[in-house]
Amino acid sequence: MVLALAVPAAGAAPGTTARAATATATATATATGLWRMDGYGTVLAIDGQGAQEYQTTAVSCLKGYFATAAPERGTYDVEGAVITVRPAPDGEHARFGADVAVGHRQLRRIGALPAACTRPPATDPRTAFDVFWQSFEENYPFFAAKGVDWHAVRARYRPLVHKDTTRAQLFDIFSRVITPLHDAHILVQDGHRHYGTARPGTVVPTEELNDKVKEFVVERDLAQATGRQDFAGGLITYADLKQRGLGYLRIARFDGYAGDDPSYTAQLAELDRALDAVLTPARTRALRGLVIDLRVNGGGSDALGIRIAERLTDTPYVAYAKRARNDPADPARHTRPEPVPVTPYHGPRYTGPVALLTGGSTVSAGETFTQALIDRPGRTVRIGQPTQGVFSDVMVRNLPDGMVVWLPNEEYLTRTGRTFDGTGIPPQISEPVFTDAEFAKNRDSAFDRAVALLRPAR
């Protein structure tokens, strides 16, 4: 998912109270003070006004988001997300969470800001390159898996950067640097200009692709379906298929459900409204199989994916465990994996067979939801093509020249300790997904295979 909690936001830095706070007896009852996050290259300075993020590396410290203090103690609002900081009884440790995400991050109290955070950063092109390179060096977990020698990358590209390198030239250099990683969670951004890549042979979902696929599915797969309903501005679609006892649920994203309201609370309310309308008692009694279509899914909030998983079980289980890289010098060291639970929802649920359709345009939160169903109690089968292969929340790192780079630093583990970063989650049954040949012949092999698999025996 994209957890963009490092986008610059308006607001002043915390005042002298936060900068001077130490782990005294008076500070232990509140989150006020300075905290370093395990992993993530982050320091938080918290006072009564809010929480200022500092993005740190061995060569830099730059301000990130400012989260405004909310009325609830220890809660802060930033860009539609609500973050919480809960100090432990010892006052020296705290737990950080965000409502749009799953899992937590651990904080340790520190006595002073890093020295680099107290002086203005240089903004020349070479400094920008160094911060860019160092951000990956300390946080990116997948160089070995991608077969990329990051130090050789520096040796090749840093000599191309000098004091007269233009912004456009530097953007082009950054773009060339990230291309061999083929990681859809990496992006270089300069205002409205941006560059990223995807796993070779796959297509990153766009609004145009989503519209094309939805029209195709409605006209072909749902031509004789009944009770079709669109929710969340058309991002969620449900229909009862012509094959009696089968339902179809298409999810195009795991965010954007509430129009202009970006808050997680609003997204969750709209999702629950849709699921309540779909999973009525009468329908869940009649359903003998459910097709869930994620073949074009642009990601969003992992927490919303877990909410749907909670509607698909009557038995608690673990969706996956989440860990982050936690040593700037050693990509093999991580934070302790945190299991992410799936707890049965207290309202309407469907617990029968599921056929999950995936493809290379199943991205980010679409993939973590797919992973959350791997160990789902009951019958779940994946049909189509491997997902994109990007799971981590996204670190959004500011560069001193005003550019921004996105990169991942986390892994999502199965119960056996496996990750699917880079390769994507493979289907159990392979079928083509929205190829030119499929469109030309008006075929949807993955959908037809799912229906055949789920169709109740006569």
Side-chain angles (χ1 to χ4, degrees):
M1 76 163 272
V2 175
L3 180 61
L5 290 181
V7 177
T16 55
T17 300
R19 287 193 292 269
T22 58
T24 64
T26 58
T28 56
T30 71
T32 298
L34 297 169
W35 303 91
R36 180 174 290 282
M37 190 176 292
D38 288 346
Y40 302 93
T42 295
V43 169
L44 290 179
I46 300 176
D47 66 7
Q49 295 179 329
Q52 175 68 58
E53 181 204 45
Y54 290 89
Q55 303 168 1
T56 67
T57 71
V59 301
S60 62
C61 177
L62 293 159
K63 284 185 179 179
Y65 64 78
F66 180 81
T68 305
E72 182 183 351
R73 188 176 179 181
T75 302
Y76 309 89
D77 296 329
V78 54
E79 304 251 328
V82 175
I83 63 175
T84 58
V85 177
R86 298 286 185 252
D90 66 3
E92 298 297 317
H93 301 83
R95 189 169 75 162
F96 173 102
D99 60 356
V100 298
V102 296
H104 301 87
R105 304 175 187 181
Q106 303 306 313
L107 304 175
R108 292 175 289 110
R109 194 181 289 277
I110 58 175
L113 284 172
C117 302
T118 64
R119 56 180 179 263
T123 58
D124 62 283
R126 278 208 157 185
T127 298
F129 181 92
D130 289 343
V131 175
F132 171 90
W133 185 88
Q134 195 72 30
S135 296
F136 282 83
E137 168 71 4
E138 296 184 12
N139 295 289
Y140 191 68
F142 308 123
F143 290 124
K146 299 294 180 75
V148 172
D149 183 336
W150 194 237
H151 289 260
V153 167
R154 177 182 172 84
R156 176 181 179 184
Y157 286 101
R158 194 176 190 277
L160 303 181
V161 183
H162 47 80
K163 64 182 180 65
D164 297 321
T165 299
T166 67
R167 197 178 187 93
Q169 290 170 333
L170 189 59
F171 182 92
D172 179 66
I173 289 170
F174 288 157
S175 300
R176 283 186 281 161
V177 166
I178 68 172
T179 295
L181 295 172
H182 298 295
D183 190 320
H185 265 176
I186 297 176
L187 188 78
V188 179
Q189 185 175 7
D190 185 11
H192 295 295
R193 187 183 184 192
H194 56 84
Y195 175 81
T197 62
R199 179 164 59 81
T202 66
V203 177
V204 172
T206 62
E207 187 174 341
E208 293 74 21
L209 177 61
N210 180 64
D211 291 345
K212 176 182 178 180
V213 166
K214 184 175 181 180
E215 181 180 4
F216 175 79
V217 166
V218 168
E219 292 183 355
R220 189 224 183 247
D221 301 333
L222 306 184
Q224 299 181 53
T226 59
R228 184 183 139 210
Q229 298 171 278
D230 282 331
F231 305 93
L235 295 174
I236 300 173
T237 298
Y238 178 82
D240 293 311
L241 297 178
K242 67 177 181 178
Q243 294 82 4
R244 187 174 180 181
L246 299 188
Y248 172 87
L249 178 65
R250 182 174 185 269
I251 305 168
R253 290 192 61 85
F254 287 99
D255 64 7
Y257 293 166
D260 294 334
D261 189 340
S263 69
Y264 175 74
T265 300
Q267 313 297 314
L268 182 61
E270 181 62 20
L271 175 62
D272 280 341
R273 186 183 76 83
L275 295 176
D276 286 344
V278 169
L279 300 177
T280 63
R283 178 173 282 127
T284 54
R285 285 195 299 269
L287 275 180
R288 296 295 179 266
L290 178 65
V291 179
I292 301 180
D293 192 347
L294 302 180
R295 287 174 294 176
V296 178
N297 184 288
S301 167
D302 292 340
L304 293 179
I306 293 296
R307 182 64 146 207
I308 299 175
E310 291 173 348
R311 299 278 195 140
L312 299 174
T313 184
D314 55 10
T315 303
Y317 70 99
V318 173
Y320 39 74
K322 183 177 176 181
R323 70 182 184 183
R325 184 174 162 185
N326 195 30
D327 187 329
D330 186 355
R333 296 187 65 180
H334 303 85
T335 58
R336 178 176 296 179
E338 179 182 3
V340 175
V342 177
T343 304
Y345 184 67
H346 57 78
R349 301 190 301 268
Y350 166 76
T351 61
V354 168
L356 187 65
L357 307 185
T358 68
S361 297
T362 308
V363 176
S364 194
E367 301 184 80
T368 65
F369 174 69
T370 299
Q371 188 166 349
L373 297 192
I374 289 177
D375 288 329
R376 168 184 176 259
R379 181 183 172 202
T380 303
V381 60
R382 301 184 306 277
I383 302 173
Q385 292 293 303
T387 63
Q388 175 64 220
V390 291
F391 295 78
S392 173
D393 294 339
V394 173
M395 300 178 68
V396 183
R397 303 277 96 172
N398 300 330
L399 301 181
D401 62 352
M403 290 193 216
V404 176
V405 61
W406 298 14
L407 68 152
N409 70 319
E410 300 171 335
E411 295 177 336
Y412 286 54
L413 309 176
T414 67
R415 57 185 169 82
T416 61
R418 178 180 179 180
T419 71
F420 297 101
D421 289 283
T423 62
I425 299 174
Q428 292 159 298
I429 300 174
S430 294
E431 292 286 355
V433 172
F434 301 134
T435 63
D436 290 341
E438 291 269 293
F439 281 128
K441 297 181 179 180
N442 196 37
R443 287 194 314 227
D444 191 347
S445 300
F447 174 87
D448 291 346
R449 187 69 175 270
V451 169
L453 189 70
L454 294 176
R455 183 183 292 124
R458 291 181 180 275

